[in-house]
Amino acid sequence: LRAVLTAPEFLIFGVVVILFIIGAVVNPRFIGIENLKILTRDTAILAIVAIGVGFTIITAGIDLSLGSIIGLGGVLTAYFVVRMNLPLPLGIVLTFLVAIAIGVFHGLYVTKLRMHGFLVTLVTLGVARGAILVITDGFPITGVPDSFAYLGQGFLFGIVPVPVVICVVVALLAHYLLRYTYIGRQIYAVGGNMQATRLSGVNVDARVILCYVISVVCASLVGIIQAGRLSLGHPGAGEGFELLAITACILGGLSLMGGQGSVLGVLVGSLLIGVLQNEMVMLNINPFWHRIVIGVVLLLAITFDYGRRRKQR
């Protein structure tokens, strides 16, 4: 019982409950059906990105290219479907192939050149955003079909946002991979002690590359969802998502030192960020303050993470 009550996921969920109560008291519309639809959809979109980057964080890496990859994923799919007149499924597959190539590129630099993920993904952050501008000439790609828009705007049974359904599928697959497969156990081992894991015969390079591929694919998936939500491929989509996703991971119990964390924790951390952002909107707080608040939350989460690590030593 003590372990459950002191778990990061439980503590963060308690904060979410408190925020819910505050929001409901200050503005009853906060718990209205329409706002809850918006809240769950936005949280699901953030959670998908956070789950992806969580794989790299578990290996003691990082992916700073998330925002640009989100923008590139949406723009590429819109380009394939609208400009090249390809079927939507084919456009999505081609976008994922590009995402896999980028993830492999990140992983190879990290494993073969021993470059930290911070550096190589920082390069991709700029290059991908530049590629978006080249593809779009700085203007949104409009005219996406209704089937595309459904991915971001649709509802299952008229009440459950489609992004929430996609998030649940992604979360279940990620949880199964990390908790019930030998590959998942090896990913945790890589983050815990890479050299010892390598000496034990594990193909460390393959595991690290896989994690960077998953991170980029999840970001591209969110880019596709965002493009459907906006009904266009916007060159500015995804800006700032890397800060939100990494904050959600750290809040959910993942350590920047690697080797620990869970998908459930990432979901709870994403829920906290989603509730906090939605509540600030409902309370008419100046949008210029939003990133400051998220930055302070990230600082607190990192401080807590480092304090917990020092106690464990």
Side-chain angles (χ1 to χ4, degrees), residues 218-270:
C218 286
S220 296
L221 174 59
V222 167
I224 295 170
I225 295 173
Q226 288 284 59
R229 180 179 175 184
L230 299 172
S231 295
L232 50 83
H234 198 286
E239 291 185 354
F241 251 86
E242 55 278 340
L243 175 64
L244 296 174
I246 294 172
T247 302
C249 288
I250 305 305
L251 284 173
L254 272 70
S255 174
L256 291 173
M257 301 298 180
Q260 66 183 45
S262 66
V263 174
L264 177 61
V266 174
L267 293 176
V268 175
S270 301

Side-chain angles (χ1 to χ4, degrees), residues 27 45-46 60-61 113 116 120-121 156-157 171 184 200 214 216 243 246 258 265 273 276 288 290 297 307 311 313:
N27 189 342
I45 290 173
L46 172 59
L113 297 183
H116 197 280
V120 65
T121 58
L156 190 65
F157 307 120
S200 67
I214 292 174
V216 177
L243 175 64
I246 294 172
I273 297 297
L276 185 59
F288 297 147
H290 290 193
V297 171
K311 282 186 178 181
R313 292 176 183 176

Side-chain angles (χ1 to χ4, degrees), residues 37-104:
K37 288 181 179 180
I38 296 173
L39 172 60
T40 53
R41 181 187 60 195
D42 292 346
T43 299
I45 290 173
L46 172 59
I48 295 172
V49 186
I51 289 171
V53 73
F55 276 84
T56 65
I57 293 176
I58 289 174
T59 63
I62 199 71
D63 189 345
L64 297 181
S65 67
L66 301 174
S68 297
I69 295 297
I70 289 172
L72 182 63
V75 164
L76 278 179
T77 307
Y79 180 84
F80 289 140
V81 174
V82 177
R83 299 281 176 83
M84 298 184 66
N85 200 29
L86 297 177
L88 177 60
L90 180 57
I92 293 175
V93 169
L94 291 176
T95 299
F96 281 152
L97 289 177
V98 174
I100 292 172
I102 295 174
V104 171

Side-chain angles (χ1 to χ4, degrees), residues 143-160:
V144 301
D146 292 339
S147 57
F148 195 168
Y150 180 78
L151 294 175
Q153 302 176 16
F155 292 90
L156 190 65
F157 307 120
I159 191 171
V160 181

